[in-house]
Amino acid sequence: MNKIKRIICFSSCLGVCALAQAVEAPPAQPSMVAASASVPVPPQDEIRRVLTYYFDGKNSPPALVDFIPCLKVDTQKNSETANQCLEVAKELVPLNTRISLWTLWYLPQGSQYEDVVLQVFWNEQLRSTEDYRLSANGRFRTWKMVNLNKKGTWTFKIMQGTQELGVQKLSVE
């Protein structure tokens, strides 16, 4: 049984490992790979790091893989793109646009995080704070909805305590 768990984990890690080097700079588009596409195998040291994080990282911070302001998320349960961001918001959006602040996390086995929050700022003013409860093993996707109802600059921060895990900005006209 332990061998099967490791094989399943290894398979899920392959998709995440390729993103490990790009975590510092948010991608322009969500990281989605079609089922028929061939994905290059990551180097052994990357796979080892991810496996070590997964099996031994219970007390480590959560890994934020993607943080994307989305105009449309696929909410169909049986869809091939279920829970994926389908349309990324541009840097400039119209007034009263509803966006989903979509996140992709990679979490160690047995971990649970209740100290992660989303902060929403309009210009420099804090408008709201929402809690994340992260407790799945491996890949975990979630999103929070925000109505951009004022013109100006909107900033979205994901924080764990005082550490900033991710930031996105949009301008509303």
Side-chain angles (χ1 to χ4, degrees), residues 9 12 15 19 30 34 48 58 70 80 84 95 99 110 114 124-125 127 144 153 155 162 170:
C9 176
S12 66
L19 298 171
R48 258 190 225 101
K58 184 177 178 182
C70 290
E80 191 174 300
Q84 292 289 353
L95 185 63
I99 62 162
E114 296 184 10
E124 298 293 321
Q125 180 185 39
R127 301 286 293 180
K144 306 279 186 183
T153 301
T155 304
T162 59
L170 292 176

Side-chain angles (χ1 to χ4, degrees), residues 41-99:
V41 176
Q44 288 179 341
D45 62 326
E46 283 185 37
I47 294 172
R48 258 190 225 101
R49 276 197 331 259
V50 172
L51 288 173
T52 299
Y53 175 75
Y54 180 80
F55 287 109
D56 303 326
K58 184 177 178 182
N59 296 319
S60 299
L64 177 62
V65 180
D66 278 330
F67 178 29
I68 302 169
C70 290
L71 296 173
K72 184 176 180 182
V73 174
D74 185 352
T75 57
Q76 301 298 317
K77 291 189 185 249
N78 295 327
S79 170
E80 191 174 300
T81 57
N83 301 318
Q84 292 289 353
C85 175
L86 299 178
E87 186 178 349
V88 178
K90 306 282 190 240
E91 291 178 17
L92 186 63
V93 296
L95 185 63
N96 292 320
T97 300
R98 283 188 59 83
I99 62 162

Side-chain angles (χ1 to χ4, degrees), residues 95-154:
L95 185 63
N96 292 320
T97 300
R98 283 188 59 83
I99 62 162
S100 299
L101 296 166
W102 186 89
T103 57
L104 170 62
W105 302 85
Y106 193 76
L107 307 175
Q109 179 179 350
S111 63
Q112 188 168 352
Y113 304 95
E114 296 184 10
D115 60 344
V116 177
V117 298
L118 169 68
Q119 295 177 332
V120 178
F121 295 86
W122 170 68
N123 293 329
E124 298 293 321
Q125 180 185 39
L126 179 63
R127 301 286 293 180
S128 68
T129 301
E130 292 193 48
D131 294 330
Y132 280 99
R133 188 173 195 284
L134 309 174
S135 61
N137 294 331
R139 181 177 73 165
F140 180 74
R141 296 168 290 185
T142 189
W143 55 93
K144 306 279 186 183
M145 299 290 294
V146 175
N147 185 26
L148 305 178
N149 58 0
K150 294 187 179 287
K151 291 182 179 182
T153 301
W154 288 78

